[in-house]
Amino acid sequence: MAEEPGVAHNPDNTSHWHYYAVVGTTVDGGHTLAEFGPHATALTALQVAVQSVNHTAFSMFEQGVAGNTLADPDLVERLPVTNFAIERQHAVTRTPDFGWSLSGGRRDWGAATALSA
């Protein structure tokens, strides 16, 4: 099997990894809706993930963001994205790096009266 130049001696080489923004929802019992990517950097994947929160995965596809649906098309079109994970995968084999991850989602700040003094 051919080795990617520079990867064998530097496993953190950015050419060795692709980053995916995997988005989901907690609505209707929770679903993983879509993955957006591959992206060359974690920051780019994070920007897409944050942008998708409170929108639908379908609307992100409409805006031209590349990716794949991971749920029924009706759910992808209807349910809002409420959480995400950034996953790092080997650029050639797509093997996930289980030692690296980043996750986040929509924050519920509670009622406006709870914020007043």
Side-chain angles (χ1 to χ4, degrees):
M1 186 163 117
E3 289 185 12
E4 187 176 348
V7 171
H9 303 296
N10 185 4
D12 291 325
N13 182 337
T14 56
S15 69
H16 186 64
W17 303 108
H18 283 165
Y19 298 86
Y20 292 83
V22 180
V23 299
T25 188
T26 56
V27 178
D28 286 349
H31 302 275
T32 302
L33 299 171
E35 67 175 2
F36 299 113
H39 300 282
T41 67
L43 181 58
T44 306
L46 179 60
Q47 288 170 328
V48 170
V50 169
Q51 179 185 356
S52 70
V53 173
N54 292 330
H55 295 87
T56 65
F58 182 78
S59 71
M60 298 299 290
F61 290 125
E62 285 186 318
Q63 293 174 43
V65 178
N68 301 301
T69 60
L70 300 175
D72 181 82
D74 179 57
L75 298 176
V76 172
E77 186 173 356
R78 183 174 55 88
L79 297 178
V81 172
T82 60
N83 52 34
F84 61 84
I86 307 304
E87 296 181 355
R88 182 163 91 165
Q89 299 178 2
H90 187 276
V92 177
T93 64
R94 286 205 66 184
T95 304
D97 179 1
F98 293 114
W100 189 99
S101 68
L102 174 68
S103 62
R106 180 171 65 187
R107 172 124 181 156
D108 182 10
W109 292 95
T113 56
L115 299 175
S116 61

